[in-house]
Amino acid sequence: MQKFSAFSLARQALGRHLGWQPQWRSVAPKPSYDIIIVGGGGHGLGAAYYLAKQHGLRNIAVVERGWLAGGNTARNTTIIRSNYLFEQSSSYYEHALKLWEGLSDELNYNVMFSQRGCLMIAHNVHDVQVFKRHVYANRLNGIDNEWLTPEQVKAFCPPLNISPNIRYPVLGGALQRRAGTARHDAVAWGYARAASDLGVDIIENCEVTGIDRDASGRVTGVQTTRGPIRAGKVGVSAAGHSSVVMAMAGIRLPLQVNPLQALVSEPVKPAFPCVVMSNTIHAYISQSDKGEMVIGAGTDSYVSYTQRGGLHIPAHTLEAICELVPDFRRLRMLRSWGGITDNTPDRSPITAKTSVPGLYVNCGWGTGGFKATPGAANLFAWTIARDEPHPINAPFTIERFREGTLIDEAAAAAVAH
């Protein structure tokens, strides 16, 4: 793997940039692997990397039905934070946030992680009570979070309108200063590049059509559009399509899939210093490194696998944002898109082994998948390699929905589920 540095960049510039190598190897599938990861997004690629890097396993393949990271990894709004309410959740996301802080050095790839802070603003008494509860719970768990008055909110994010006469007045906000954003495709490419260098095969345009099992019920491989591939273990990390893949092995997941829309404005000079989120409005906004305002809305209420949604959802979001940030009223929206969120009943993920020997699943992330990328990948790799969960992801089983040990994080998701 070519190392990236200022010196390598200068050297390639002198050679008219003709010496760069492909970022990862393009290979045909082998007849068999020790482990197959289904899903070539950030979670799947990261799991393959950690299996190779930390657990010494090399005979691994990542199979992706389309192009690399073309699903939810490419369709999210890149927000990273760990200020979730319950200890189980905040420990999981804090594990991810700590990995984010050193990920560029780990992968020798700039994932453009920017700790610009995440401000969750309150518009009513209920919001104030909920966010203060989050602040206190986070502090008890050793996670940074602080309450700001409306004047402090304005000082931290000057474009916000804190007038008491607007439809959604700002009564305060909860600020996690270590939160921020990263570049979604850089994360996937960085993991793919590093995993490939460790011997992992990355196979694009290879859709899984079936999961093979022997007479005892153990997984023996997968059927794909490029032929059968044998494997001792299979890990499924297919986001909104996880339930479809898992059904091939006879496992029914407690997931509901809803479209989630986002959009970006025309690029402008730096004008918005942080990430701002609003539960009441169901909106969140940050400015990308290209200058675009990246805006997320709430989920559509209907169940669908389509990557688009109703126009009224972003329209409502933009109406409220124009009132909260009056300077943005003259911005033109460039494009919009949708992703499909896989939501569990308690809005917390599943990262676990299953009742089928040799089959593992990482799903149910809803709107929180991107922020958890390195943490989920790291813990999923541990679970697959050791056939047991890490203490951090041990509570996030499928069985909790039968046992009633739910981890209800609907209020922390910051969009309408």
Side-chain angles (χ1 to χ4, degrees):
M1 181 175 67
Q2 286 179 313
K3 297 295 182 182
F4 291 135
S5 67
F7 298 107
S8 67
L9 182 61
R11 187 168 56 251
Q12 292 294 338
L14 292 173
R16 295 190 297 173
H17 294 288
L18 299 177
W20 293 115
Q21 298 173 0
Q23 295 294 285
W24 56 84
R25 296 174 296 112
S26 179
V27 299
K30 296 190 297 190
S32 66
Y33 293 92
D34 294 334
I35 301 171
I36 291 175
I37 303 295
V38 180
H43 287 218
L45 292 166
Y49 166 75
Y50 290 117
L51 281 166
K53 178 72 173 182
Q54 297 184 346
H55 302 280
L57 303 170
R58 294 292 190 270
N59 191 23
I60 303 168
V62 177
V63 295
E64 165 58 44
R65 73 171 187 167
W67 65 90
L68 204 67
N72 282 3
T73 299
R75 293 174 174 270
N76 67 88
T77 50
T78 74
I79 297 171
I80 297 166
R81 59 188 176 91
S82 64
N83 54 348
Y84 280 68
L85 177 61
F86 293 103
E87 181 179 3
Q88 302 96 317
S89 302
S90 60
S91 296
Y92 204 145
Y93 286 101
E94 181 66 12
H95 176 64
L97 181 52
K98 288 178 178 177
L99 289 174
W100 275 113
E101 290 173 332
L103 194 60
S104 292
D105 290 337
E106 166 92 8
L107 301 178
N108 182 232
Y109 203 94
N110 185 10
V111 301
M112 303 172 75
F113 179 46
S114 169
Q115 290 181 289
R116 61 188 67 179
C118 179
L119 179 60
M120 303 181 72
I121 53 178
H123 302 287
N124 51 52
V125 173
H126 178 262
D127 284 351
V128 172
Q129 293 172 339
V130 168
F131 289 154
K132 285 187 175 181
R133 184 187 179 197
H134 277 72
V135 169
Y136 302 146
N138 290 158
R139 288 181 174 179
L140 286 172
N141 291 322
I143 295 170
D144 65 303
N145 201 354
E146 60 188 278
W147 178 255
L148 303 184
T149 64
E151 293 72 25
Q152 291 171 319
V153 166
K154 179 72 172 179
F156 186 77
C157 187
L160 285 177
N161 179 9
I162 63 169
S163 168
N165 300 320
I166 61 176
R167 179 170 42 160
Y168 300 102
V170 176
L171 303 185
L175 172 63
Q176 185 177 30
R177 295 182 185 271
R178 291 168 54 241
T181 62
R183 180 70 183 175
H184 51 83
D185 46 12
V187 177
W189 296 340
Y191 272 130
R193 176 174 173 267
S196 179
D197 186 57
L198 292 171
V200 174
D201 284 356
I202 298 172
I203 307 165
E204 299 176 82
N205 300 306
C206 183
E207 182 178 357
V208 171
T209 58
I211 296 178
D212 297 331
R213 301 165 65 184
D214 61 19
S216 69
R218 184 174 185 83
V219 164
T220 59
V222 296
Q223 296 289 326
T224 77
T225 52
R226 298 180 66 173
I229 308 173
R230 299 190 301 276
K233 294 181 177 180
V234 174
V236 177
S237 191
H241 289 92
S242 293
S243 56
V244 177
V245 178
M246 294 298 288
M248 299 173 187
I251 292 181
R252 185 181 179 188
L253 292 175
L255 295 180
Q256 175 176 298
V257 177
N258 300 83
L260 178 67
Q261 297 183 72
L263 60 162
V264 295
S265 74
E266 60 184 321
V268 294
K269 292 182 178 181
F272 207 72
C274 62
V275 178
V276 169
M277 309 180 72
S278 168
N279 272 12
T280 299
I281 299 172
H282 306 143
Y284 38 105
I285 182 170
S286 64
Q287 188 169 16
S288 74
D289 292 318
K290 294 190 294 183
E292 301 165 330
M293 297 299 164
V294 183
I295 298 169
T299 53
D300 285 78
S301 59
Y302 57 85
V303 177
S304 173
Y305 286 97
T306 60
Q307 293 177 323
R308 58 185 182 272
L311 181 61
H312 66 286
I313 299 291
H316 166 72
T317 298
L318 291 176
E319 287 171 1
I321 285 178
C322 286
E323 191 173 40
L324 278 174
V325 192
D327 292 346
F328 290 173
R329 290 176 178 174
R330 297 176 63 185
L331 283 178
R332 290 170 292 185
M333 294 298 110
L334 284 188
R335 62 187 183 276
S336 64
W337 65 90
I340 51 174
T341 61
D342 47 331
N343 306 298
T344 62
D346 63 358
R347 304 314 188 237
S348 290
I350 299 168
T351 306
K353 57 188 294 186
T354 71
S355 58
V356 175
L359 183 61
Y360 309 83
V361 66
N362 173 47
C363 67
W365 285 99
T367 62
F370 180 76
K371 64 177 69 71
T373 297
N378 180 264
L379 298 176
F380 195 36
W382 173 293
T383 304
I384 294 171
R386 303 196 179 202
D387 196 39
E388 64 179 12
H390 187 280
I392 293 177
N393 69 292
F396 296 89
T397 64
I398 302 174
E399 289 74 25
R400 75 177 188 268
F401 300 102
R402 182 175 65 242
E403 298 165 354
T405 53
L406 304 182
I407 308 166
D408 186 1
E409 289 288 357
V415 295
H417 284 309

